Amino acid sequence: QTLTQIKQRGKLIVGTEPTFPPFEFVDEKNQVVGFDIDIAMELAKRLGVKLEIVSLPFDSLIPALQQGKIDLAIAGMTITKERAKVVDFSKPYFEANQAIVVRKDSKFEPKKLEDLVGQKVAVQLGTTGDLVVSDITGINVVRFQKFTDAFLELQNGRVDAVVLDEAPAKAYVKKFSKFSISSIVDTGETYGIAVKKGNKELLNFVNQTLDIMKGSGQYNKLLQKWFE
Ligand code: ARG
């Protein structure tokens, strides 16, 4: 979609997977909110159109972009070589590492990914967390579409750990006092906003908006709002 087509349509369609606080999650009013959603709102505002948020499983976001069902994927999505072959990414807008989350009462304190060998570990299907644990032989990986379900399994003792990005891990641990972060795995990831491959016009617009938001202090305000 060109910017003109998006303006004619009157709405910007953004895909996300909303079990990833504080980037995107469902609040008490059943609204999808978060850091990424505020960025999406700013993009729509600058285009002079409405924002439509489409919630999809994380591993469906890239196919949805390719099929033109969504204009952008804003989902705390790590820029990886594999993904960059099939979609285009904006400039990096956030840095991330993986975290290992366990039940406090379990006395299981993995300090590195290798400590998860022989254990049952929940991840979100298709995420970088999925990739790093699946790379190690001997880990029993259980894949979920929603992080909320992965944490339910951890709570019920059906898995021994959940591996996910650090900021959402902190958000879940804050919300559920039963969990704790046993270690951070330095993966050195950065998040980008994804557009359909070749959509330069939309990509430039996204990059310009990120620059403006950073320059004006609006970006820092959002960090303060969502990462206190
Ligand atoms: N950063 C990780 C990845 O790109 C996890 C992203 C999950 N995002 C989400 N909205 N569920 O694979």
Side-chain angles (χ1 to χ4, degrees):
Q1 277 76 13
T2 63
L3 291 185
T4 316
Q5 281 168 333
I6 293 172
K7 283 179 190 162
Q8 272 165 0
R9 187 212 281 146
K11 63 181 180 190
L12 176 70
I13 307 175
V14 171
T16 197
E17 191 292 312
T19 66
F20 201 65
F23 294 94
E24 42 267 340
F25 60 101
V26 180
D27 72 3
E28 318 78 48
K29 292 178 213 143
N30 237 0
Q31 302 269 17
V32 179
V33 298
F35 182 81
D36 282 343
I37 308 306
D38 281 352
I39 294 178
M41 281 170 51
E42 184 60 30
L43 290 165
K45 194 174 146 197
R46 287 184 171 273
L47 284 170
V49 298
K50 287 192 180 140
L51 174 65
E52 181 177 318
I53 295 288
V54 179
S55 296
L56 292 169
F58 186 75
D59 70 330
S60 300
L61 290 170
I62 288 183
L65 267 182
Q66 292 175 310
Q67 291 158 17
K69 289 182 181 159
I70 56 176
D71 299 313
L72 301 170
I74 314 185
M77 190 182 281
T78 301
I79 302 173
T80 68
K81 275 197 188 125
E82 286 306 309
R83 291 172 182 164
K85 284 180 192 160
V86 291
V87 295
D88 286 332
F89 281 105
S90 70
K91 301 180 175 179
Y93 71 93
F94 200 86
E95 290 175 8
N97 291 300
Q98 295 294 305
I100 305 175
V101 181
V102 295
R103 264 184 330 279
K104 269 185 193 162
D105 64 13
S106 70
K107 299 213 163 102
F108 174 51
E109 284 181 22
K111 289 295 162 211
K112 50 189 192 316
L113 289 172
E114 288 71 21
D115 294 342
L116 297 172
V117 171
Q119 306 292 322
K120 262 182 129 174
V121 179
V123 296
Q124 183 174 57
L125 179 67
T127 57
T128 48
D130 184 359
L131 291 177
V132 291
V133 297
S134 299
D135 253 3
I136 296 173
T137 11
I139 300 178
N140 184 351
V141 187
V142 193
R143 300 177 179 84
F144 294 91
Q145 283 193 338
K146 297 179 179 177
F147 280 119
T148 42
D149 290 335
F151 280 107
L152 213 55
E153 293 291 287
L154 182 62
Q155 186 182 336
N156 296 338
R158 283 193 285 263
V159 299
D160 305 295
V162 179
V163 172
L164 78 164
D165 303 46
E166 183 174 357
K170 283 187 177 149
Y172 276 105
V173 165
K174 200 171 173 189
K175 195 165 171 210
F176 302 100
S177 54
K178 289 184 173 179
F179 304 145
S180 67
I181 294 179
S182 78
S183 69
I184 302 292
V185 182
D186 195 347
T187 49
E189 299 170 54
T190 54
Y191 296 165
I193 294 175
V195 306
K196 188 175 183 174
K197 191 125 205 103
N199 194 343
K200 281 227 172 81
E201 196 192 8
L202 184 56
L203 189 64
N204 287 339
F205 166 74
V206 169
N207 279 331
Q208 277 164 14
T209 304
L210 286 174
D211 283 346
I212 294 169
M213 290 178 77
K214 284 185 182 162
S216 68
Q218 195 184 357
Y219 190 86
N220 274 328
K221 272 202 189 129
L222 287 187
L223 288 176
Q224 278 168 21
K225 174 177 174 191
W226 294 106
F227 293 89
E228 271 316 275

